[in-house]
């Protein structure tokens, strides 16, 4: 169902369920409502627009999705867009969470996000003293919940990168492993493009005078911003390691090719001597040294073997073979 949860809160405590009707969303002076939606219908959005006077431009963005992280102010209304991320195999799946924040309401709309807010709602309801702060603290909880999911992505990526780094030093990477490295690098670069706007969103909520954001709640957004910056810093380190893995793999491959080239050249030199001697004696000229000598054939073989043995020993000492 698109409506996941809709409850009214007073003094940090859940009071009642709030159906999406004019009567259900009616509030007393000290109450606020938190409505959670997933891919809502136009009819559900229309009820919220009429009740809370949501700005049409923000509603258009919330319905269309495919937005980058941002925070916009419409009078006494805040509209915040955050990007969710979840690692599936070697790829990162992205979603969006749009949040409308007013003096007496929080409306969260999820698109493509598999992580439910039920656990978050239970955690906030378990701390009534903090939930008592109102919709701005709920906004902090949603952003913190989203950003906390970034760290496991980096943890998993670190394990994969370090494994690839060790594999590169132990043996040559296969085609499948190289393709996996390129896929991981592409996904991390895409993820890094999300972190920048997310850090900007949290920074604005922390430092600027925003409607519906109490000064006492601003420090909580600073904590979320620290989490984003730590993830971004670790991600930068991963990209450096990935670059070094590519460089080491390339150097080792060049070294391997150089060894093969030297071996081929050494064997070619070894084979050139007997080939040249055999070719000369195979020309069947009438006047040639030792042509009618009884031991000429044996002498030629001994000469070729001696020269080849000397070259073989020399190449072995210089590690060309």
């Amino acid at each position: 169902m698109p409506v996941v949860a809709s409850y009214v809160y007073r003094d940090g405590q859940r009071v009642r369920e709030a159906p999406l009707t004019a009567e259900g969303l009616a509030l007393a002076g000290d109450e606020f409502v938190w409505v959670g939606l997933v891919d809502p219908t136009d009819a559900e959005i229309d009820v919220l627009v009429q009740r809370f006077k949501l700005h049409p431009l923000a509603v258009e963005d919330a319905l269309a999705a495919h937005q980058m992280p941002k925070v916009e102010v419409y009078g006494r209304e805040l509209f915040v867009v955050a990007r969710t991320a979840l690692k599936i195999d070697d790829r990162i799946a992205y979603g969006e969470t749009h949040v409308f924040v007013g003096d007496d309401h929080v409306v969260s709309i999820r698109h493509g996000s598999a992580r439910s807010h039920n656990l978050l709602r239970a955690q906030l309801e378990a701390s009534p003293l903090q939930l008592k702060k109102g919709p701005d603290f709920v906004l902090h909880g949603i952003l913190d919940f989203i950003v906390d999911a970034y760290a496991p992505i980096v943890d998993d990526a670190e394990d994969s990168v370090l494994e690839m780094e060790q594999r590169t030093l132990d043996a040559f990477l296969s085609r499948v492993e190289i393709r996996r490295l390129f896929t991981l690098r592409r996904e991390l670069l895409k993820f890094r493009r999300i972190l920048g706007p997310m850090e900007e969103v949290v920074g604005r909520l922390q430092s600027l005078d925003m409607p519906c954001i109490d000064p006492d709640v601003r420090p909580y957004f600073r904590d979320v911003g620290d989490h984003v910056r730590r993830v971004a810093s670790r991600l930068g380190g991963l990209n450096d390691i990935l670059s070094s893995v590519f460089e080491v793999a390339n150097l080792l491959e060049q070294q391997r090719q150089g060894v093969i080239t030297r071996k081929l050249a050494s064997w070619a030199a070894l084979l050139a001597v007997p080939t040249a001697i055999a070719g000369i004696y195979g020309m069947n000229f009438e006047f040639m040294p030792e042509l009618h000598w009884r031991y000429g054939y044996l002498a030629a073989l001994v000469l070729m073997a001696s020269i080849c043995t000397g070259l073989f020993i020399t190449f072995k000492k210089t590690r060309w073979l």
Side-chain angles (χ1 to χ4, degrees), residues 29 44 111 115 128 144 183 202 208 213 217 237 250 281 315 320:
E44 291 164 341
H111 294 282
R115 295 184 72 213
D144 189 53
T183 299
V202 179
L208 298 183
I213 303 295
V217 180
N250 187 42
Y281 278 88
F315 290 150
W320 277 55

Side-chain angles (χ1 to χ4, degrees), residues 128-146:
L129 290 178
Q130 294 180 322
L131 188 57
K132 185 179 179 180
K133 298 179 185 296
D136 49 358
F137 190 80
V138 175
L139 173 62
H140 156 264
I142 293 174
L143 293 179
D144 189 53
F145 181 76
I146 292 172

